[in-house]
Amino acid sequence: MKFFAAAVFICFMFSAGNVRADDIGCISTTFRIIGANDKVCISAFDDPKVPGVACHISQARTGGLKGTFGLAEDPSKFSIACRQVGPINADVSKLADQDEVYSASTSLFFKHTHVFRTVDKKRNTLVYVAISDRLIEGSPYNAISTVPIMPWGTH
């Protein structure tokens, strides 16, 4: 049984998302006498198929003893902001209607924050939706950010 649990844990760790985020920093929100404080952490990632777009996501992280040892379940609360940070040369008509661009584990087992990109072709806009795969009161928490594709470097 222990071998099975270890194998599941190892597989889980290696399958947790293709895109790596850069950790920008954390802000302590709740002081804990024992273990790490609760905090909100900010990470950044680039859209892997649309160079010129970057997203920042903030997520609550639970502290205490469980949080210190990576055993705490983080709350399904987050915010996302995506922006054009350079020229966008991707052919929007060739992008999938929906594509997962980021995934991060938010608990030891089976809970993730996912970011999907959809394309609003009529408005020439990329739409990024962050969701948690844990249901809260019947529906997942979610947040949205849009990036209108604009000419870059022209005034």
Side-chain angles (χ1 to χ4, degrees):
M1 186 64 177
K2 287 182 182 180
F3 175 76
F4 177 74
V8 168
F9 178 74
I10 289 170
C11 289
F12 175 76
M13 292 305 289
F14 285 108
S15 68
N18 297 334
V19 174
R20 298 278 182 214
D22 299 323
D23 290 330
I24 305 298
C26 296
I27 300 160
S28 182
T29 59
T30 305
F31 174 74
R32 299 235 185 196
I33 294 173
I34 300 175
N37 291 342
D38 294 342
K39 54 193 165 195
V40 172
C41 294
I42 303 137
S43 301
F45 63 92
D46 298 313
D47 186 322
K49 292 185 181 172
V50 184
V53 174
C55 296
H56 292 85
I57 190 164
S58 66
Q59 295 183 282
R61 294 190 187 161
T62 303
L65 286 176
K66 286 184 179 181
T68 300
F69 294 109
L71 302 174
E73 183 170 316
D74 292 332
S76 297
K77 295 181 180 175
F78 44 80
S79 179
I80 186 168
C82 299
R83 299 290 183 267
Q84 183 174 353
V85 295
I88 296 176
N89 298 320
D91 186 352
V92 175
S93 66
K94 292 184 180 179
L95 292 174
D97 289 337
Q98 176 182 310
D99 199 8
E100 183 173 14
V101 296
Y102 175 75
S103 179
S105 174
T106 52
S107 75
L108 186 58
F109 292 106
F110 311 119
K111 182 177 163 192
H112 291 81
T113 297
H114 302 276
V115 176
F116 294 90
R117 177 196 351 91
T118 61
V119 181
D120 181 347
K121 293 176 182 171
K122 179 179 177 182
R123 293 165 188 85
N124 202 32
T125 299
L126 303 172
V127 181
Y128 294 85
V129 180
I131 64 168
S132 171
D133 59 11
R134 177 175 175 179
L135 296 181
I136 306 296
E137 297 177 13
S139 60
Y141 279 115
N142 61 84
I144 188 171
S145 185
T146 61
V147 178
I149 300 171
M150 306 293 281
W152 188 259
T154 59
H155 297 227

